[in-house]
Amino acid sequence: MRRTSDILTKNGVMKMIKFAICDDEPFTVKELSEHLSRYMEEKRLALYRIETFPDGSSLLDCGCSYDLIFLDIRMEHLNGMETARKLRQQNNNSLLIFVTVLEEYVFDAFEVQAFGYLLKPLNSELFRRTMDRSLEALRRQKNRDIVICKGNSCQVIPLSEIIYCEVQGRKVYLHQSGGEITDCYGKLEDFGQRFDNHFFRCHRSFIVNLGYVRGYATGQITLSQGSKIPVSRLREHDFTQALLCYMKERNL
């Protein structure tokens, strides 16, 4: 299924928004598609695509990247939560919105960095508010890169792929979701000024992306890939508050 809608980058270039709906109930697929098309028409947007998948396996096998994926949780073959985990293991950074009758999975959604959680039957007002947040997040995402220049070369790194930064001596090391580590000369304070409120200075030597935090105990943050970084005692309270604000913003 194809429709049209667009999003502007900071350079004014039109970008197609690609949506995927993954659900094994034809009625829900139809309902979601109609809600999405209606929303886009109301916003007077113009260049987008909607593709549908009957299960998680077919979504993973398509090899396509999407800006936003609607996922049912209860599906045969491969359920939505497992599909989301596999997407994240593949370093897929799509916005994920679960659409389900199961309220009890709302906290598991945080584990896979889900952006939202909609209950069936769909509430039109809640759907519109979720889409408003989603499009704003996509706009920010398109413009959220950091450029690292060394010698005669430059590297563009999306902020969404930075798990944490650490300073050692005169160098700052950027640990990325794909396993890469980029280093450059500089001060951690300077990098902090280039980040948004999804990042927190948890220690004099570390800045963490709150989207990758999976736990916190005894002065240690556990990150999505299993590594741990410290939180200084003076910053513990501010860190927990920042994390709670981040979770509230993500509506989880």
Side-chain angles (χ1 to χ4, degrees):
M1 179 184 299
R2 293 170 184 259
R3 297 288 188 272
T4 57
S5 177
D6 55 66
I7 190 167
L8 279 173
T9 69
K10 60 184 176 184
N11 296 319
V13 179
M14 297 294 184
K15 295 289 186 180
M16 177 178 288
I17 308 177
K18 293 178 286 185
F19 298 102
I21 298 173
C22 185
D23 198 302
D24 59 0
E25 297 178 351
F27 173 80
T28 301
V29 172
K30 182 175 183 293
E31 183 184 26
L32 258 175
S33 299
E34 290 174 349
H35 270 75
L36 194 50
S37 297
R38 191 179 307 120
Y39 174 87
M40 291 298 186
E41 290 168 7
E42 289 174 358
K43 294 295 181 180
R44 300 178 183 273
L45 300 173
L47 185 63
Y48 67 92
R49 183 169 72 231
I50 303 173
E51 296 185 4
T52 62
F53 301 88
D55 53 58
S57 296
S58 59
L59 172 64
L60 292 168
D61 289 344
C62 82
C64 300
S65 60
Y66 298 94
D67 296 294
L68 193 156
I69 300 174
F70 293 93
L71 268 176
D72 185 18
I73 290 183
R74 182 180 290 172
M75 294 185 292
E76 295 184 7
H77 307 303
L78 192 67
N79 67 41
M81 197 60 68
E82 281 302 312
T83 301
R85 290 192 182 101
K86 289 181 180 295
L87 285 169
R88 294 307 188 218
Q89 288 168 6
Q90 296 172 0
N91 298 318
N92 183 296
N93 292 314
S94 302
L95 298 184
L96 300 181
I97 296 177
F98 287 112
V99 186
T100 181
V101 296
L102 305 172
E103 292 187 49
E104 60 266 30
Y105 283 98
V106 66
F107 294 107
D108 292 332
F110 187 64
E111 176 192 340
V112 292
Q113 304 171 54
F115 188 80
Y117 198 96
L118 297 172
L119 292 176
K120 300 176 183 180
L122 293 177
N123 177 288
S124 296
E125 181 57 31
L126 182 56
F127 179 85
R128 281 194 295 271
R129 291 205 304 268
T130 301
M131 284 303 303
D132 285 344
R133 290 192 307 111
S134 300
L135 287 191
E136 180 57 31
L138 289 174
R139 289 189 182 97
R140 291 199 307 266
Q141 207 175 67
K142 297 292 183 184
N143 297 324
R144 290 174 63 224
D145 297 327
I146 191 167
V147 180
I148 304 297
C149 294
K150 295 193 294 185
N152 296 321
S153 65
C154 289
Q155 180 180 358
V156 179
I157 303 174
L159 293 187
S160 60
E161 294 181 6
I162 299 175
I163 301 175
Y164 69 96
C165 305
E166 65 173 319
V167 63
Q168 295 182 23
R170 297 172 55 204
K171 280 191 173 184
V172 175
Y173 295 81
L174 283 65
H175 297 256
Q176 297 154 63
S177 57
E180 305 93 341
I181 301 175
T182 301
D183 66 272
C184 62
Y185 289 100
K187 297 180 180 179
L188 202 59
E189 291 84 355
D190 295 336
F191 279 88
Q193 293 175 6
R194 298 161 72 180
F195 295 156
D196 59 22
N197 60 1
H198 291 174
F199 288 80
F200 183 81
R201 181 81 176 268
C202 59
H203 186 277
R204 65 181 182 181
S205 300
F206 291 88
I207 295 177
V208 65
N209 185 337
L210 297 173
Y212 289 95
V213 173
R214 295 296 173 267
Y216 169 70
T218 62
Q220 295 283 314
I221 297 172
T222 301
L223 299 168
S224 58
Q225 84 280 33
S227 61
K228 296 179 184 291
I229 60 173
V231 178
S232 65
R233 284 191 298 172
L234 293 176
R235 294 181 172 137
E236 284 181 342
H237 176 73
D238 289 342
F239 168 70
T240 56
Q241 291 301 307
L243 186 58
L244 287 172
C245 288
Y246 173 82
M247 293 174 67
K248 184 178 180 180
E249 179 184 324
R250 298 296 294 268
N251 197 30
L252 296 175

Short mmCIF file of all heavy atoms in Angstrom, two decimals, residues 62-123:
data_model
loop_
_atom_site.label_atom_id
_atom_site.label_comp_id
_atom_site.label_asym_id
_atom_site.label_seq_id
_atom_site.Cartn_x
_atom_site.Cartn_y
_atom_site.Cartn_z
N CYS A 62 12.45 -8.73 4.91
CA CYS A 62 12.33 -7.80 3.78
C CYS A 62 13.60 -6.98 3.58
O CYS A 62 13.85 -6.47 2.49
CB CYS A 62 11.13 -6.87 3.97
SG CYS A 62 11.45 -5.46 5.05
N GLY A 63 14.38 -6.83 4.64
CA GLY A 63 15.64 -6.11 4.52
C GLY A 63 15.50 -4.62 4.28
O GLY A 63 16.45 -3.95 3.91
N CYS A 64 14.30 -4.09 4.48
CA CYS A 64 14.06 -2.67 4.26
C CYS A 64 14.16 -1.89 5.57
O CYS A 64 13.95 -2.45 6.64
CB CYS A 64 12.68 -2.44 3.65
SG CYS A 64 12.45 -3.25 2.06
N SER A 65 14.48 -0.61 5.46
CA SER A 65 14.51 0.24 6.65
C SER A 65 13.30 1.16 6.63
O SER A 65 12.89 1.65 5.57
CB SER A 65 15.80 1.06 6.68
OG SER A 65 15.90 1.88 5.55
N TYR A 66 12.73 1.39 7.81
CA TYR A 66 11.54 2.23 7.94
C TYR A 66 11.77 3.30 8.98
O TYR A 66 12.53 3.11 9.93
CB TYR A 66 10.33 1.36 8.31
CG TYR A 66 10.00 0.33 7.26
CD1 TYR A 66 10.51 -0.96 7.36
CD2 TYR A 66 9.22 0.66 6.16
CE1 TYR A 66 10.24 -1.90 6.37
CE2 TYR A 66 8.95 -0.27 5.18
CZ TYR A 66 9.46 -1.55 5.29
OH TYR A 66 9.20 -2.47 4.31
N ASP A 67 11.09 4.41 8.81
CA ASP A 67 11.19 5.48 9.80
C ASP A 67 10.38 5.11 11.05
O ASP A 67 10.80 5.38 12.17
CB ASP A 67 10.68 6.79 9.22
CG ASP A 67 11.55 7.28 8.07
OD1 ASP A 67 12.71 7.62 8.32
OD2 ASP A 67 11.07 7.28 6.93
N LEU A 68 9.23 4.51 10.84
CA LEU A 68 8.35 4.16 11.97
C LEU A 68 7.70 2.81 11.69
O LEU A 68 7.20 2.56 10.59
CB LEU A 68 7.28 5.24 12.15
CG LEU A 68 6.46 5.22 13.44
CD1 LEU A 68 5.90 6.62 13.72
CD2 LEU A 68 5.30 4.23 13.36
N ILE A 69 7.72 1.94 12.70
CA ILE A 69 7.14 0.60 12.56
C ILE A 69 6.07 0.41 13.64
O ILE A 69 6.34 0.58 14.84
CB ILE A 69 8.21 -0.49 12.71
CG1 ILE A 69 9.29 -0.34 11.64
CG2 ILE A 69 7.57 -1.89 12.62
CD1 ILE A 69 10.47 -1.30 11.81
N PHE A 70 4.86 0.05 13.20
CA PHE A 70 3.79 -0.33 14.13
C PHE A 70 3.85 -1.85 14.29
O PHE A 70 3.77 -2.59 13.30
CB PHE A 70 2.42 0.08 13.59
CG PHE A 70 2.21 1.57 13.51
CD1 PHE A 70 2.49 2.25 12.34
CD2 PHE A 70 1.74 2.28 14.60
CE1 PHE A 70 2.30 3.63 12.25
CE2 PHE A 70 1.54 3.66 14.52
CZ PHE A 70 1.82 4.32 13.35
N LEU A 71 3.97 -2.31 15.54
CA LEU A 71 4.15 -3.74 15.80
C LEU A 71 3.07 -4.28 16.73
O LEU A 71 2.89 -3.77 17.83
CB LEU A 71 5.51 -3.98 16.47
CG LEU A 71 6.75 -4.28 15.62
CD1 LEU A 71 7.96 -4.37 16.53
CD2 LEU A 71 6.57 -5.58 14.85
N ASP A 72 2.39 -5.33 16.29
CA ASP A 72 1.52 -6.07 17.21
C ASP A 72 2.42 -6.94 18.08
O ASP A 72 3.47 -7.41 17.64
CB ASP A 72 0.54 -6.94 16.41
CG ASP A 72 -0.47 -7.64 17.31
OD1 ASP A 72 -0.64 -7.20 18.47
OD2 ASP A 72 -1.07 -8.63 16.86
N ILE A 73 2.03 -7.14 19.32
CA ILE A 73 2.86 -7.98 20.20
C ILE A 73 2.51 -9.45 20.06
O ILE A 73 3.39 -10.30 19.92
CB ILE A 73 2.72 -7.53 21.68
CG1 ILE A 73 3.40 -6.17 21.87
CG2 ILE A 73 3.34 -8.56 22.62
CD1 ILE A 73 3.38 -5.66 23.28
N ARG A 74 1.23 -9.77 20.06
CA ARG A 74 0.82 -11.17 19.99
C ARG A 74 0.64 -11.60 18.53
O ARG A 74 -0.38 -11.33 17.90
CB ARG A 74 -0.49 -11.38 20.77
CG ARG A 74 -0.95 -12.82 20.80
CD ARG A 74 -2.25 -12.96 21.58
NE ARG A 74 -2.05 -12.75 23.00
CZ ARG A 74 -3.05 -12.67 23.87
NH1 ARG A 74 -4.31 -12.72 23.46
NH2 ARG A 74 -2.79 -12.51 25.17
N MET A 75 1.66 -12.27 18.00
CA MET A 75 1.61 -12.78 16.62
C MET A 75 2.19 -14.19 16.60
O MET A 75 3.02 -14.54 17.44
CB MET A 75 2.41 -11.90 15.67
CG MET A 75 1.86 -10.52 15.45
SD MET A 75 2.80 -9.58 14.18
CE MET A 75 4.37 -9.34 15.02
N GLU A 76 1.73 -15.01 15.65
CA GLU A 76 2.30 -16.34 15.48
C GLU A 76 3.67 -16.24 14.79
O GLU A 76 4.01 -15.21 14.22
CB GLU A 76 1.36 -17.22 14.66
CG GLU A 76 0.02 -17.50 15.35
CD GLU A 76 -0.84 -18.45 14.55
OE1 GLU A 76 -0.34 -18.99 13.54
OE2 GLU A 76 -2.01 -18.65 14.93
N HIS A 77 4.42 -17.31 14.86
CA HIS A 77 5.75 -17.42 14.23
C HIS A 77 6.80 -16.62 15.00
O HIS A 77 7.75 -17.17 15.52
CB HIS A 77 5.72 -17.02 12.76
CG HIS A 77 4.68 -17.72 11.96
ND1 HIS A 77 4.62 -19.10 11.87
CD2 HIS A 77 3.65 -17.24 11.22
CE1 HIS A 77 3.60 -19.44 11.11
NE2 HIS A 77 2.99 -18.33 10.70
N LEU A 78 6.61 -15.31 15.08
CA LEU A 78 7.56 -14.47 15.81
C LEU A 78 6.78 -13.28 16.36
O LEU A 78 6.26 -12.47 15.60
CB LEU A 78 8.69 -13.99 14.87
CG LEU A 78 9.90 -13.34 15.54
CD1 LEU A 78 10.68 -14.36 16.36
CD2 LEU A 78 10.81 -12.72 14.49
N ASN A 79 6.67 -13.21 17.70
CA ASN A 79 5.85 -12.15 18.26
C ASN A 79 6.53 -10.79 18.15
O ASN A 79 7.70 -10.67 17.80
CB ASN A 79 5.45 -12.46 19.72
CG ASN A 79 6.64 -12.46 20.67
OD1 ASN A 79 7.52 -11.61 20.59
ND2 ASN A 79 6.65 -13.41 21.59
N GLY A 80 5.77 -9.73 18.46
CA GLY A 80 6.26 -8.38 18.26
C GLY A 80 7.45 -8.02 19.12
O GLY A 80 8.35 -7.31 18.67
N MET A 81 7.47 -8.51 20.37
CA MET A 81 8.58 -8.17 21.26
C MET A 81 9.88 -8.82 20.76
O MET A 81 10.94 -8.18 20.77
CB MET A 81 8.26 -8.62 22.68
CG MET A 81 9.13 -7.97 23.74
SD MET A 81 8.98 -6.15 23.78
CE MET A 81 7.30 -5.96 24.37
N GLU A 82 9.81 -10.06 20.34
CA GLU A 82 11.00 -10.73 19.80
C GLU A 82 11.45 -10.08 18.49
O GLU A 82 12.64 -9.94 18.22
CB GLU A 82 10.72 -12.23 19.58
CG GLU A 82 10.79 -13.07 20.84
CD GLU A 82 12.16 -12.96 21.51
OE1 GLU A 82 13.18 -13.10 20.81
OE2 GLU A 82 12.20 -12.70 22.73
N THR A 83 10.46 -9.69 17.69
CA THR A 83 10.79 -8.98 16.44
C THR A 83 11.53 -7.69 16.75
O THR A 83 12.55 -7.37 16.10
CB THR A 83 9.51 -8.66 15.64
OG1 THR A 83 8.81 -9.89 15.34
CG2 THR A 83 9.83 -7.93 14.35
N ALA A 84 11.05 -6.95 17.75
CA ALA A 84 11.70 -5.69 18.14
C ALA A 84 13.13 -5.94 18.62
O ALA A 84 14.05 -5.20 18.29
CB ALA A 84 10.88 -5.00 19.22
N ARG A 85 13.33 -7.00 19.41
CA ARG A 85 14.68 -7.31 19.91
C ARG A 85 15.63 -7.60 18.74
O ARG A 85 16.78 -7.16 18.73
CB ARG A 85 14.62 -8.50 20.86
CG ARG A 85 13.94 -8.19 22.20
CD ARG A 85 14.16 -9.30 23.21
NE ARG A 85 13.47 -9.02 24.45
CZ ARG A 85 12.31 -9.56 24.82
NH1 ARG A 85 11.73 -10.45 24.02
NH2 ARG A 85 11.75 -9.25 25.96
N LYS A 86 15.13 -8.36 17.76
CA LYS A 86 15.97 -8.70 16.61
C LYS A 86 16.28 -7.46 15.78
O LYS A 86 17.39 -7.31 15.25
CB LYS A 86 15.30 -9.78 15.76
CG LYS A 86 15.28 -11.15 16.42
CD LYS A 86 14.63 -12.19 15.52
CE LYS A 86 14.62 -13.56 16.18
NZ LYS A 86 15.99 -14.08 16.39
N LEU A 87 15.32 -6.56 15.66
CA LEU A 87 15.56 -5.32 14.94
C LEU A 87 16.67 -4.52 15.62
O LEU A 87 17.57 -4.00 14.96
CB LEU A 87 14.28 -4.48 14.87
CG LEU A 87 13.20 -4.95 13.89
CD1 LEU A 87 11.90 -4.19 14.13
CD2 LEU A 87 13.66 -4.74 12.44
N ARG A 88 16.61 -4.42 16.94
CA ARG A 88 17.63 -3.67 17.67
C ARG A 88 18.99 -4.37 17.59
O ARG A 88 20.03 -3.71 17.52
CB ARG A 88 17.21 -3.47 19.12
CG ARG A 88 15.99 -2.59 19.31
CD ARG A 88 16.14 -1.27 18.62
NE ARG A 88 15.06 -0.33 18.94
CZ ARG A 88 14.52 0.50 18.07
NH1 ARG A 88 14.95 0.52 16.81
NH2 ARG A 88 13.58 1.34 18.45
N GLN A 89 18.99 -5.69 17.57
CA GLN A 89 20.25 -6.42 17.42
C GLN A 89 20.89 -6.15 16.07
O GLN A 89 22.12 -6.23 15.91
CB GLN A 89 20.01 -7.92 17.61
CG GLN A 89 19.72 -8.33 19.04
CD GLN A 89 19.20 -9.75 19.15
OE1 GLN A 89 19.15 -10.51 18.16
NE2 GLN A 89 18.79 -10.15 20.35
N GLN A 90 20.06 -5.83 15.09
CA GLN A 90 20.54 -5.49 13.75
C GLN A 90 20.88 -4.01 13.63
O GLN A 90 21.13 -3.51 12.55
CB GLN A 90 19.48 -5.85 12.71
CG GLN A 90 19.17 -7.33 12.62
CD GLN A 90 17.99 -7.63 11.71
OE1 GLN A 90 17.38 -6.71 11.13
NE2 GLN A 90 17.64 -8.89 11.56
N ASN A 91 20.89 -3.31 14.79
CA ASN A 91 21.17 -1.87 14.82
C ASN A 91 20.15 -1.06 14.04
O ASN A 91 20.47 -0.02 13.45
CB ASN A 91 22.59 -1.56 14.31
CG ASN A 91 23.65 -2.20 15.16
OD1 ASN A 91 23.57 -2.19 16.39
ND2 ASN A 91 24.65 -2.79 14.53
N ASN A 92 18.91 -1.55 14.02
CA ASN A 92 17.83 -0.82 13.38
C ASN A 92 17.33 0.26 14.34
O ASN A 92 16.96 -0.02 15.47
CB ASN A 92 16.68 -1.80 13.04
CG ASN A 92 15.55 -1.13 12.31
OD1 ASN A 92 14.88 -0.25 12.84
ND2 ASN A 92 15.30 -1.55 11.09
N ASN A 93 17.32 1.52 13.87
CA ASN A 93 16.94 2.65 14.72
C ASN A 93 15.55 3.20 14.42
O ASN A 93 15.24 4.34 14.77
CB ASN A 93 17.98 3.77 14.58
CG ASN A 93 19.32 3.39 15.16
OD1 ASN A 93 19.40 2.85 16.26
ND2 ASN A 93 20.39 3.65 14.42
N SER A 94 14.70 2.40 13.78
CA SER A 94 13.34 2.85 13.49
C SER A 94 12.60 3.17 14.78
O SER A 94 12.84 2.55 15.82
CB SER A 94 12.57 1.76 12.74
OG SER A 94 13.20 1.40 11.54
N LEU A 95 11.68 4.15 14.70
CA LEU A 95 10.78 4.36 15.83
C LEU A 95 9.84 3.16 15.89
O LEU A 95 9.27 2.77 14.86
CB LEU A 95 9.97 5.65 15.65
CG LEU A 95 10.74 6.97 15.57
CD1 LEU A 95 9.75 8.14 15.49
CD2 LEU A 95 11.66 7.14 16.76
N LEU A 96 9.67 2.58 17.07
CA LEU A 96 8.78 1.42 17.24
C LEU A 96 7.58 1.82 18.08
O LEU A 96 7.73 2.38 19.17
CB LEU A 96 9.52 0.27 17.93
CG LEU A 96 10.77 -0.29 17.23
CD1 LEU A 96 11.34 -1.43 18.05
CD2 LEU A 96 10.44 -0.75 15.82
N ILE A 97 6.39 1.52 17.58
CA ILE A 97 5.16 1.75 18.33
C ILE A 97 4.41 0.43 18.41
O ILE A 97 4.04 -0.15 17.37
CB ILE A 97 4.29 2.83 17.68
CG1 ILE A 97 5.01 4.18 17.70
CG2 ILE A 97 2.94 2.95 18.40
CD1 ILE A 97 4.28 5.30 17.02
N PHE A 98 4.20 -0.07 19.63
CA PHE A 98 3.45 -1.31 19.80
C PHE A 98 1.96 -1.01 19.78
O PHE A 98 1.50 -0.04 20.38
CB PHE A 98 3.82 -1.99 21.12
CG PHE A 98 5.19 -2.62 21.11
CD1 PHE A 98 6.22 -2.12 21.87
CD2 PHE A 98 5.45 -3.72 20.29
CE1 PHE A 98 7.48 -2.69 21.85
CE2 PHE A 98 6.71 -4.30 20.25
CZ PHE A 98 7.72 -3.78 21.04
N VAL A 99 1.22 -1.85 19.07
CA VAL A 99 -0.24 -1.74 19.00
C VAL A 99 -0.80 -3.09 19.43
O VAL A 99 -0.63 -4.09 18.74
CB VAL A 99 -0.72 -1.40 17.57
CG1 VAL A 99 -2.21 -1.15 17.55
CG2 VAL A 99 0.03 -0.19 17.03
N THR A 100 -1.46 -3.13 20.59
CA THR A 100 -1.79 -4.42 21.18
C THR A 100 -2.95 -4.31 22.17
O THR A 100 -3.33 -3.20 22.57
CB THR A 100 -0.56 -5.01 21.90
OG1 THR A 100 -0.88 -6.28 22.46
CG2 THR A 100 -0.10 -4.07 23.01
N VAL A 101 -3.52 -5.45 22.54
CA VAL A 101 -4.54 -5.48 23.61
C VAL A 101 -3.89 -5.77 24.95
O VAL A 101 -4.55 -5.77 25.98
CB VAL A 101 -5.60 -6.57 23.31
CG1 VAL A 101 -6.37 -6.23 22.05
CG2 VAL A 101 -4.96 -7.95 23.21
N LEU A 102 -2.58 -6.00 24.96
CA LEU A 102 -1.89 -6.46 26.17
C LEU A 102 -1.20 -5.30 26.88
O LEU A 102 -0.11 -4.88 26.51
CB LEU A 102 -0.86 -7.53 25.80
CG LEU A 102 -1.41 -8.74 25.03
CD1 LEU A 102 -0.27 -9.62 24.55
CD2 LEU A 102 -2.36 -9.53 25.92
N GLU A 103 -1.81 -4.79 27.94
CA GLU A 103 -1.22 -3.69 28.69
C GLU A 103 0.02 -4.11 29.46
O GLU A 103 0.89 -3.30 29.74
CB GLU A 103 -2.24 -3.11 29.68
CG GLU A 103 -3.40 -2.40 29.03
CD GLU A 103 -4.28 -1.72 30.05
OE1 GLU A 103 -3.72 -1.01 30.92
OE2 GLU A 103 -5.50 -1.90 30.00
N GLU A 104 0.10 -5.41 29.83
CA GLU A 104 1.17 -5.85 30.73
C GLU A 104 2.56 -5.79 30.11
O GLU A 104 3.57 -5.93 30.81
CB GLU A 104 0.90 -7.27 31.24
CG GLU A 104 0.81 -8.33 30.15
CD GLU A 104 -0.61 -8.60 29.69
OE1 GLU A 104 -1.43 -7.65 29.75
OE2 GLU A 104 -0.90 -9.72 29.27
N TYR A 105 2.67 -5.56 28.80
CA TYR A 105 3.98 -5.53 28.16
C TYR A 105 4.56 -4.12 28.07
O TYR A 105 5.61 -3.92 27.48
CB TYR A 105 3.90 -6.11 26.75
CG TYR A 105 3.83 -7.61 26.71
CD1 TYR A 105 2.61 -8.26 26.57
CD2 TYR A 105 4.98 -8.39 26.84
CE1 TYR A 105 2.53 -9.64 26.54
CE2 TYR A 105 4.92 -9.76 26.81
CZ TYR A 105 3.69 -10.39 26.66
OH TYR A 105 3.62 -11.75 26.65
N VAL A 106 3.89 -3.14 28.68
CA VAL A 106 4.33 -1.76 28.52
C VAL A 106 5.74 -1.54 29.04
O VAL A 106 6.52 -0.79 28.46
CB VAL A 106 3.33 -0.79 29.20
CG1 VAL A 106 3.32 -0.98 30.70
CG2 VAL A 106 3.66 0.65 28.84
N PHE A 107 6.13 -2.23 30.13
CA PHE A 107 7.47 -2.02 30.67
C PHE A 107 8.53 -2.76 29.85
O PHE A 107 9.68 -2.31 29.76
CB PHE A 107 7.52 -2.47 32.14
CG PHE A 107 6.68 -1.61 33.03
CD1 PHE A 107 5.49 -2.08 33.55
CD2 PHE A 107 7.06 -0.30 33.31
CE1 PHE A 107 4.69 -1.28 34.35
CE2 PHE A 107 6.28 0.51 34.12
CZ PHE A 107 5.08 0.02 34.64
N ASP A 108 8.15 -3.88 29.22
CA ASP A 108 9.09 -4.56 28.33
C ASP A 108 9.42 -3.70 27.12
O ASP A 108 10.49 -3.82 26.53
CB ASP A 108 8.50 -5.90 27.86
CG ASP A 108 8.37 -6.91 28.99
OD1 ASP A 108 9.17 -6.81 29.95
OD2 ASP A 108 7.49 -7.77 28.93
N ALA A 109 8.48 -2.83 26.75
CA ALA A 109 8.68 -1.98 25.59
C ALA A 109 9.88 -1.06 25.77
O ALA A 109 10.56 -0.71 24.81
CB ALA A 109 7.42 -1.15 25.31
N PHE A 110 10.16 -0.67 27.02
CA PHE A 110 11.31 0.20 27.27
C PHE A 110 12.61 -0.50 26.95
O PHE A 110 13.58 0.13 26.50
CB PHE A 110 11.30 0.64 28.74
CG PHE A 110 12.35 1.67 29.06
CD1 PHE A 110 12.31 2.93 28.48
CD2 PHE A 110 13.38 1.38 29.93
CE1 PHE A 110 13.29 3.88 28.76
CE2 PHE A 110 14.35 2.32 30.22
CZ PHE A 110 14.30 3.57 29.64
N GLU A 111 12.64 -1.82 27.12
CA GLU A 111 13.86 -2.60 26.87
C GLU A 111 14.30 -2.48 25.42
O GLU A 111 15.50 -2.50 25.12
CB GLU A 111 13.60 -4.07 27.22
CG GLU A 111 14.76 -5.00 26.90
CD GLU A 111 14.37 -6.46 26.98
OE1 GLU A 111 13.34 -6.77 27.63
OE2 GLU A 111 15.07 -7.30 26.41
N VAL A 112 13.36 -2.38 24.51
CA VAL A 112 13.69 -2.32 23.08
C VAL A 112 13.57 -0.89 22.53
O VAL A 112 13.46 -0.70 21.33
CB VAL A 112 12.80 -3.28 22.26
CG1 VAL A 112 13.14 -4.73 22.58
CG2 VAL A 112 11.32 -3.00 22.48
N GLN A 113 13.60 0.08 23.45
CA GLN A 113 13.56 1.50 23.06
C GLN A 113 12.32 1.82 22.22
O GLN A 113 12.40 2.55 21.22
CB GLN A 113 14.82 1.88 22.29
CG GLN A 113 16.11 1.61 23.03
CD GLN A 113 17.32 1.81 22.14
OE1 GLN A 113 17.49 2.86 21.54
NE2 GLN A 113 18.16 0.79 22.03
N ALA A 114 11.17 1.27 22.62
CA ALA A 114 9.94 1.59 21.90
C ALA A 114 9.58 3.06 22.10
O ALA A 114 9.84 3.64 23.15
CB ALA A 114 8.80 0.70 22.39
N PHE A 115 9.01 3.65 21.09
CA PHE A 115 8.67 5.07 21.15
C PHE A 115 7.27 5.29 21.72
O PHE A 115 6.98 6.34 22.29
CB PHE A 115 8.77 5.68 19.76
CG PHE A 115 8.63 7.17 19.74
CD1 PHE A 115 9.72 7.98 20.09
CD2 PHE A 115 7.44 7.77 19.40
CE1 PHE A 115 9.60 9.36 20.09
CE2 PHE A 115 7.31 9.15 19.40
CZ PHE A 115 8.39 9.95 19.74
N GLY A 116 6.39 4.32 21.54
CA GLY A 116 5.03 4.47 22.02
C GLY A 116 4.33 3.14 22.16
O GLY A 116 4.85 2.08 21.79
N TYR A 117 3.11 3.20 22.72
CA TYR A 117 2.37 1.99 23.05
C TYR A 117 0.88 2.32 22.92
O TYR A 117 0.34 3.10 23.69
CB TYR A 117 2.71 1.61 24.50
CG TYR A 117 2.39 0.19 24.89
CD1 TYR A 117 3.37 -0.80 24.86
CD2 TYR A 117 1.12 -0.17 25.35
CE1 TYR A 117 3.10 -2.09 25.25
CE2 TYR A 117 0.84 -1.47 25.74
CZ TYR A 117 1.83 -2.42 25.70
OH TYR A 117 1.56 -3.70 26.09
N LEU A 118 0.23 1.76 21.90
CA LEU A 118 -1.19 2.01 21.65
C LEU A 118 -2.00 0.75 21.92
O LEU A 118 -1.57 -0.35 21.55
CB LEU A 118 -1.40 2.46 20.20
CG LEU A 118 -0.75 3.78 19.79
CD1 LEU A 118 -0.90 3.99 18.28
CD2 LEU A 118 -1.37 4.95 20.54
N LEU A 119 -3.14 0.92 22.55
CA LEU A 119 -4.00 -0.22 22.85
C LEU A 119 -5.12 -0.34 21.82
O LEU A 119 -5.61 0.66 21.29
CB LEU A 119 -4.61 -0.07 24.25
CG LEU A 119 -3.65 -0.17 25.43
CD1 LEU A 119 -4.38 0.10 26.74
CD2 LEU A 119 -2.97 -1.53 25.48
N LYS A 120 -5.48 -1.59 21.53
CA LYS A 120 -6.62 -1.86 20.66
C LYS A 120 -7.89 -1.90 21.53
O LYS A 120 -7.85 -2.41 22.65
CB LYS A 120 -6.46 -3.21 19.95
CG LYS A 120 -5.22 -3.32 19.08
CD LYS A 120 -5.12 -4.73 18.50
CE LYS A 120 -3.86 -4.92 17.67
NZ LYS A 120 -3.75 -6.28 17.11
N PRO A 121 -9.02 -1.43 20.99
CA PRO A 121 -9.19 -0.71 19.72
C PRO A 121 -8.55 0.66 19.80
O PRO A 121 -8.44 1.26 20.88
CB PRO A 121 -10.70 -0.62 19.56
CG PRO A 121 -11.22 -0.65 20.96
CD PRO A 121 -10.30 -1.56 21.71
N LEU A 122 -8.12 1.16 18.66
CA LEU A 122 -7.38 2.42 18.62
C LEU A 122 -8.25 3.60 19.07
O LEU A 122 -9.42 3.71 18.69
CB LEU A 122 -6.87 2.69 17.21
CG LEU A 122 -5.79 1.75 16.68
CD1 LEU A 122 -5.46 2.13 15.23
CD2 LEU A 122 -4.54 1.79 17.53
N ASN A 123 -7.64 4.46 19.87
CA ASN A 123 -8.26 5.72 20.26
C ASN A 123 -7.74 6.80 19.32
O ASN A 123 -6.53 7.04 19.26
CB ASN A 123 -7.90 6.04 21.72
CG ASN A 123 -8.46 7.37 22.17
OD1 ASN A 123 -7.98 8.42 21.77
ND2 ASN A 123 -9.47 7.33 23.01
#
